[in-house]
Short mmCIF file of all heavy atoms in Angstrom, two decimals:
data_model
loop_
_atom_site.label_atom_id
_atom_site.label_comp_id
_atom_site.label_asym_id
_atom_site.label_seq_id
_atom_site.Cartn_x
_atom_site.Cartn_y
_atom_site.Cartn_z
N ASP E 116 0.21 6.46 8.65
CA ASP E 116 0.51 5.45 9.67
C ASP E 116 0.55 4.04 9.07
O ASP E 116 1.27 3.17 9.56
CB ASP E 116 -0.54 5.47 10.79
CG ASP E 116 -0.43 6.71 11.66
OD1 ASP E 116 0.62 7.39 11.63
OD2 ASP E 116 -1.43 7.01 12.35
N ASN E 119 4.14 2.26 5.34
CA ASN E 119 5.43 2.45 5.99
C ASN E 119 6.61 2.29 5.02
O ASN E 119 7.76 2.21 5.45
CB ASN E 119 5.57 1.52 7.21
CG ASN E 119 5.66 0.05 6.84
OD1 ASN E 119 5.52 -0.33 5.67
ND2 ASN E 119 5.88 -0.78 7.83
N MET E 120 6.32 2.25 3.74
CA MET E 120 7.37 2.20 2.73
C MET E 120 7.45 3.56 2.05
O MET E 120 6.42 4.22 1.85
CB MET E 120 7.07 1.12 1.68
CG MET E 120 7.04 -0.29 2.26
SD MET E 120 6.45 -1.53 1.08
CE MET E 120 7.88 -1.68 0.00
N HIS E 208 2.73 -1.46 2.67
CA HIS E 208 3.00 -1.78 4.08
C HIS E 208 3.89 -3.02 4.17
O HIS E 208 3.49 -4.10 3.74
CB HIS E 208 1.72 -2.03 4.86
CG HIS E 208 1.96 -2.31 6.30
ND1 HIS E 208 2.12 -1.29 7.22
CD2 HIS E 208 2.15 -3.47 6.98
CE1 HIS E 208 2.37 -1.84 8.41
NE2 HIS E 208 2.39 -3.16 8.28
N ASP E 209 5.08 -2.85 4.74
CA ASP E 209 5.97 -3.99 4.97
C ASP E 209 5.88 -4.38 6.44
O ASP E 209 6.39 -3.65 7.31
CB ASP E 209 7.41 -3.65 4.60
CG ASP E 209 8.35 -4.83 4.75
OD1 ASP E 209 7.92 -5.89 5.26
OD2 ASP E 209 9.52 -4.69 4.35
N PRO E 210 5.25 -5.51 6.75
CA PRO E 210 5.09 -5.92 8.15
C PRO E 210 6.41 -6.26 8.83
O PRO E 210 6.47 -6.36 10.06
CB PRO E 210 4.15 -7.13 8.09
CG PRO E 210 4.29 -7.65 6.70
CD PRO E 210 4.62 -6.46 5.84
N GLU E 211 7.47 -6.43 8.07
CA GLU E 211 8.79 -6.73 8.64
C GLU E 211 9.52 -5.46 9.07
O GLU E 211 10.51 -5.52 9.77
CB GLU E 211 9.66 -7.46 7.61
CG GLU E 211 9.18 -8.86 7.30
CD GLU E 211 9.78 -9.89 8.24
OE1 GLU E 211 10.96 -10.22 8.09
OE2 GLU E 211 9.05 -10.36 9.13
N LYS E 212 9.03 -4.33 8.60
CA LYS E 212 9.68 -3.05 8.90
C LYS E 212 9.23 -2.56 10.28
O LYS E 212 8.07 -2.65 10.61
CB LYS E 212 9.24 -2.04 7.82
CG LYS E 212 10.27 -1.04 7.46
CD LYS E 212 9.73 -0.18 6.31
CE LYS E 212 10.76 0.85 5.99
NZ LYS E 212 10.29 1.82 5.07
N ALA E 213 10.16 -2.01 11.01
CA ALA E 213 9.80 -1.45 12.32
C ALA E 213 8.82 -0.30 12.10
O ALA E 213 8.95 0.48 11.16
CB ALA E 213 11.05 -0.93 13.03
N THR E 214 7.83 -0.21 12.98
CA THR E 214 6.87 0.88 12.85
C THR E 214 7.53 2.19 13.23
O THR E 214 8.46 2.22 14.03
CB THR E 214 5.63 0.64 13.74
OG1 THR E 214 6.07 0.44 15.08
CG2 THR E 214 4.86 -0.56 13.26
N ARG E 215 7.06 3.24 12.62
CA ARG E 215 7.65 4.56 12.87
C ARG E 215 7.39 5.02 14.27
O ARG E 215 6.38 4.86 14.83
CB ARG E 215 7.04 5.61 11.92
CG ARG E 215 7.23 5.28 10.50
CD ARG E 215 6.68 6.42 9.69
NE ARG E 215 6.04 5.90 8.49
CZ ARG E 215 5.46 6.65 7.62
NH1 ARG E 215 5.40 7.92 7.77
NH2 ARG E 215 4.92 6.14 6.54
#
Side-chain angles (χ1 to χ4, degrees):
D116 289 342
N119 68 354
M120 297 172 74
H208 182 84
D209 183 353
E211 291 271 285
K212 213 176 178 189
T214 55
R215 301 183 217 179

